[in-house]
């Protein structure tokens, strides 16, 4: 494999950039990582997005491949179920899957630090306060601006943009190639609040992702190692804007989240909500992810999504696995790897962007519906009955590495089967009624039919498996 001497520049030392650097260094490439911010390992607080994140199977798998899974998981908190907070204060858990299936709440800063330390240990050159200004994908030249406004030009064999949703590398690619680009700001924004520990203990049940679903908006809370909860209120901007005074804010919480007030504390709610502007949420799709043989974008730079499936980082981490597998398949030949990466990853990244959008409705509204709960029960029942073939959508996305687009396809097939089953229920009920009422007359005809239930179940499982 031709890696000796090949140099890769990664732009962006966030979660995906730092992990990707570890993967590529492991393959023997000479990797340099350029980050526009100062080194977060030297900062007390880092401005920016959510304080904690839900890590699931895809992300864990990627961390495992660079030997970091245990270190990250040790510092995370398992969340086995959603804990729904109803308006009247009732709390009801909805498990994510089976007992061994859970997502982990991990601290974003800690995770980024672990990744940067690992990158450094693998001999990767880390350059902070270097902001990408321009790149030339034909010659493999990258120009960065340093904190003192001086510029530095670097040459390399491959430029990988892991520089987030507002990617400068992607902007440069758009000037060089016919890159389709689509972005959407949803009408909702978010504000983060903190629930502090009570008597040095977690203020609520710990191993849950707490949700206050209120149809048009919702609040969620994820536990942290220091026994706090990061609580996020997602709501349309127009609703945030209607809360003009501190009294408006507290009235709003009394109306929609009364049980959260003693947890968040009135003063904390008023101060945070009145001093923190709601942050926007963006979804980005683009195509292709590469230009020529020297430019590639990954992570949020290629597919930023709304955070409602907890998959943005997980998908970005899985990007690193996909690139690694293609490097294997095409023996590190960038001329083949890059187009193959776009071809393979685009369909899946688009699928998870769409699923993330759909899950917002599920989280804030569907969990309140009896039909949704019935469907969850039916899914769980069918999974127990046909464990190989009937895997619920959330389980496929969060606890397997089934390709995202296949998760959608399989869910559609499951929906069809359930529709067919429900259409057959009416004739079935009529049929059973007829049998019960006329059992004496037809009894003599059915007494000879042998019914082997376990054989029937096996045949059905095989049959469904063929189609899912
Ligand atoms: P980023 O994390 O944005 O990192 C990009 C890096 O590039 C930054 O360090 C930036 O400083 C640097 N950079 C930018 N421009 C330049 C430049 N010109 N030159 C040099 N460097 C540059 N995902 C999950 O999987 N689970 C969750 O529970 C989850 N929760 C979320 C909650 C919220 C509220 C939000 C907004 C997102 C959430 N996500 C979650 C998504 C997740 O945060 C992102 O998918 C993830 O951070 C993407 O990582 P990245 O490295 O691609 O981009």
């Amino acid at each position: 494999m031709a890696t000796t001497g090949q140099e890769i520049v990664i732009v962006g030392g966030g979660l995906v950039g730092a992990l990707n650097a570890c993967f590529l260094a492991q393959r023997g490439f000479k990797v340099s990582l350029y980050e526009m911010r100062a080194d977060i390992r030297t900062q007390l607080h880092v401005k920016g997005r959510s304080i904690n994140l839900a890590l699931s199977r895809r992300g864990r798998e990627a961390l495992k491949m660079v030997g970091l899974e245990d270190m990250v998981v040790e510092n995370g908190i398992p969340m086995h179920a959603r804990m729904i907070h109803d308006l009247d204060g009732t709390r009801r858990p909805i498990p994510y899957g089976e007992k061994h299936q859970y997502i982990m709440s991990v601290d974003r800063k800690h995770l980024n630090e672990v990744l940067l330390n690992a990158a450094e240990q693998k001999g990767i050159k880390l350059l902070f306060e270097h902001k990408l200004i321009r790149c030339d994908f034909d010659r493999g030249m990258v120009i960065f601006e340093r904190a003192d406004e001086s510029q530095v030009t670097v040459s390399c064999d491959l430029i990988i943009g892991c520089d987030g949703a507002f990617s400068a590398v992607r902007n440069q690619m758009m000037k060089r190639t016919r890159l389709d680009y689509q972005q959407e700001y949803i009408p909702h924004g978010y504000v983060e609040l903190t629930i502090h520990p009570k008597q040095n203990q977690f203020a609520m049940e710990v191993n849950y992702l707490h949700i206050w679903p209120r149809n048009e908006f919702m609040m969620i809370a994820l536990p942290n190692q220091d026994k706090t909860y990061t609580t996020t209120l997602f709501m349309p901007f127009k609703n945030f804007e209607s809360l003009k005074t501190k009294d408006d804010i507290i009235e709003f919480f009394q109306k929609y989240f009364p049980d959260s007030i003693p947890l968040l504390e009135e003063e904390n709610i008023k101060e945070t909500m009145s001093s923190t502007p709601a942050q926007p949420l963006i979804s980005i799709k683009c195509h292709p992810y590469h230009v020529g043989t020297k430019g590639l974008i990954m992570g949020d730079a290629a597919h930023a999504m709304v955070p409602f499936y907890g998959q943005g980082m997980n998908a970005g981490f899985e990007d690193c696995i996909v690139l690694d597998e293609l490097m294997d398949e095409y023996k590190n030949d960038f001329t083949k790897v890059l187009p193959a990466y776009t071809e393979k990853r685009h369909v899946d990244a688009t699928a998870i962007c769409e699923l993330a959008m759909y899950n917002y409705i599920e989280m804030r509204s569907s969990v309140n519906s009896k039909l949704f709960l019935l469907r969850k029960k039916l899914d769980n029942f069918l999974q127990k009955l046909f464990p190989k073939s009937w895997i619920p959508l959330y389980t496929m996305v969060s606890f397997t590495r089934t390709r995202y687009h296949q998760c959608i396809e399989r869910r559609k097939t499951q929906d069809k089967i359930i529709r067919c089953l429900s259409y057959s229920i009416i004739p079935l009920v009529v049929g059973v009624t007829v049998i019960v009422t006329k059992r004496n007359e037809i009894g003599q005809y059915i007494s000879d039919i042998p019914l082997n239930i376990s054989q029937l179940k096996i045949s059905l499982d095989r049959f469904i498996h063929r189609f899912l």
Side-chain angles (χ1 to χ4, degrees):
M1 293 192 192
T3 61
T4 347
Q6 281 187 291
E7 292 191 24
I8 299 183
V9 161
I10 295 185
V11 183
L15 301 174
V16 176
L19 178 69
N20 208 14
C22 293
F23 266 90
L24 293 163
Q26 222 164 248
R27 302 193 70 81
F29 291 113
K30 219 172 140 196
V31 184
S32 312
L33 185 80
Y34 290 82
E35 164 58 48
M36 78 177 177
R37 294 177 301 179
D39 188 345
I40 57 156
R41 296 170 299 176
T42 61
Q43 321 276 301
L44 260 182
H45 299 289
V46 181
K47 271 186 160 178
R49 287 177 298 176
S50 67
I51 293 160
N52 53 20
L53 300 140
L55 174 72
S56 49
R57 170 75 195 280
R58 296 168 204 264
R60 285 182 68 161
E61 191 89 2
L63 290 167
K64 190 174 173 182
M65 290 171 78
V66 293
L68 296 175
E69 185 190 16
D70 291 344
M71 198 185 295
V72 173
V73 166
E74 266 167 27
N75 282 285
I77 300 180
M79 298 181 290
H80 295 272
R82 311 157 184 89
M83 179 65 87
I84 307 297
H85 293 239
D86 289 328
L87 199 53
D88 63 2
T90 316
R91 297 179 190 187
R92 53 190 168 94
I94 306 179
Y96 281 118
E98 292 178 51
K99 280 205 178 70
H100 64 280
Q101 291 170 325
Y102 55 87
I103 53 177
M104 300 281 307
S105 172
V106 295
D107 182 278
R108 183 190 286 270
K109 183 170 185 282
H110 176 260
L111 177 58
N112 210 159
E113 285 173 352
V114 166
L115 291 166
L116 289 171
N117 285 338
E120 208 158 46
Q121 275 158 23
K122 288 180 196 290
I124 294 156
K125 211 161 78 179
L126 304 181
L127 296 113
F128 296 97
E129 300 187 60
H130 278 69
K131 181 179 178 182
L132 179 123
I133 304 294
R134 244 188 343 271
C135 36
D136 179 333
F137 296 106
D138 296 316
R139 291 192 295 161
M141 305 268 279
V142 202
I143 302 173
F144 292 99
E145 187 180 83
R146 290 186 284 223
D148 61 3
E149 294 186 6
S150 62
Q151 293 195 349
V152 56
T153 304
V154 182
S155 61
C156 62
D157 300 291
L158 179 62
I159 306 159
I160 305 186
C162 298
D163 50 345
F166 302 97
S167 168
V169 177
R170 187 184 62 227
N171 282 341
Q172 294 289 300
M173 279 169 67
M174 285 164 103
K175 291 181 182 156
R176 163 70 177 68
T177 189
R178 284 175 282 117
L179 189 134
D180 290 326
Y181 175 74
Q182 189 193 330
Q183 76 169 49
E184 182 184 351
Y185 279 106
I186 61 168
H188 301 67
Y190 70 99
V191 167
E192 286 187 342
L193 301 112
T194 307
I195 295 178
H196 294 286
K198 301 273 178 275
Q199 277 121 34
N200 207 26
Q201 292 305 320
F202 282 103
M204 301 184 287
E205 302 86 341
V206 61
N207 293 116
Y208 296 91
L209 193 159
H210 292 262
I211 309 179
W212 289 257
R214 298 294 180 261
N215 298 325
E216 214 200 335
F217 48 83
M218 69 168 177
M219 194 160 75
I220 64 168
L222 274 74
N224 298 309
Q225 278 284 326
D226 63 0
K227 301 196 172 114
T228 60
Y229 284 86
T230 303
T231 310
T232 314
L233 172 61
F234 294 98
M235 190 162 74
F237 278 100
K238 65 176 168 43
N239 297 41
F240 278 115
E241 282 150 19
S242 72
L243 305 178
K244 295 201 189 320
T245 65
K246 290 186 176 174
D247 285 345
D248 293 342
I249 293 170
I250 221 63
E251 266 171 40
F252 169 79
F253 271 77
Q254 278 162 350
K255 186 167 179 192
Y256 294 107
F257 308 113
D259 68 328
S260 77
I261 299 177
L263 300 166
L264 284 162
E265 293 162 8
E266 213 172 299
E267 269 319 296
N268 178 19
I269 298 174
K270 285 184 192 166
E271 275 319 305
T272 313
M273 290 288 293
S274 57
S275 62
T276 322
Q279 300 295 308
L281 292 164
I282 195 168
S283 176
I284 289 173
K285 294 178 198 157
C286 66
H287 180 273
Y289 298 148
H290 74 287
V291 52
T293 59
K294 286 186 166 48
L296 183 66
I297 46 172
M298 296 170 70
D300 273 19
H303 48 68
M305 64 197 74
V306 292
F308 307 113
Y309 229 114
Q311 284 294 308
M313 165 194 65
N314 286 289
F317 281 6
E318 195 179 49
D319 288 352
C320 304
I321 303 183
V322 172
L323 182 67
D324 195 56
E325 286 168 352
L326 292 170
M327 288 278 190
D328 264 346
E329 191 175 336
Y330 295 107
K331 307 206 170 10
N332 301 327
D333 179 350
F334 300 157
T335 62
K336 293 189 177 128
V337 170
L338 270 47
Y341 179 83
T342 290
E343 168 81 22
K344 179 154 189 191
R345 201 55 181 154
H346 179 256
V347 59
D348 290 318
T350 306
I352 188 58
C353 285
E354 278 158 15
L355 278 172
M357 208 61 107
Y358 155 81
N359 213 47
Y360 188 29
I361 301 163
E362 175 161 322
M363 277 181 96
R364 68 182 149 98
S365 165
S366 310
V367 289
N368 290 329
S369 129
K370 292 212 164 58
L371 212 61
F372 169 84
L373 298 174
L374 186 71
R375 172 63 196 260
K376 278 257 171 284
K377 283 197 174 124
L378 188 60
D379 270 338
N380 292 344
F381 171 72
L382 288 167
Q383 192 189 13
K384 282 210 172 78
L385 214 55
F386 309 116
K388 277 209 187 102
S389 46
W390 198 281
I391 304 170
L393 178 64
Y394 189 89
T395 306
M396 279 189 279
V397 171
S398 301
F399 304 126
T400 76
R401 283 211 47 227
T402 306
R403 293 184 62 183
Y404 288 124
H405 82 278
Q406 285 172 349
C407 296
I408 295 187
E409 279 168 12
R410 287 181 190 182
R411 169 62 178 222
K412 282 184 183 156
T413 313
Q414 291 173 353
D415 286 347
K416 265 188 211 154
I417 294 174
I418 287 195
R419 254 198 314 277
C420 287
L421 280 177
S422 56
Y423 291 150
S424 8
I425 279 176
I426 298 169
L428 197 74
V429 170
V430 173
V432 169
T433 316
V434 170
I435 290 171
V436 169
T437 50
K438 310 248 176 195
R439 61 186 178 277
N440 290 341
E441 290 142 64
I442 54 177
Q444 54 185 317
Y445 295 110
I446 59 167
S447 61
D448 295 334
I449 301 173
L451 196 61
N452 184 335
I453 297 291
S454 61
Q455 235 174 26
L456 186 70
K457 183 173 138 354
I458 291 166
S459 317
L460 258 176
D461 202 3
R462 279 205 198 116
F463 175 76
I464 298 171
H465 194 59
R466 277 189 54 201
F467 294 96
L468 290 179

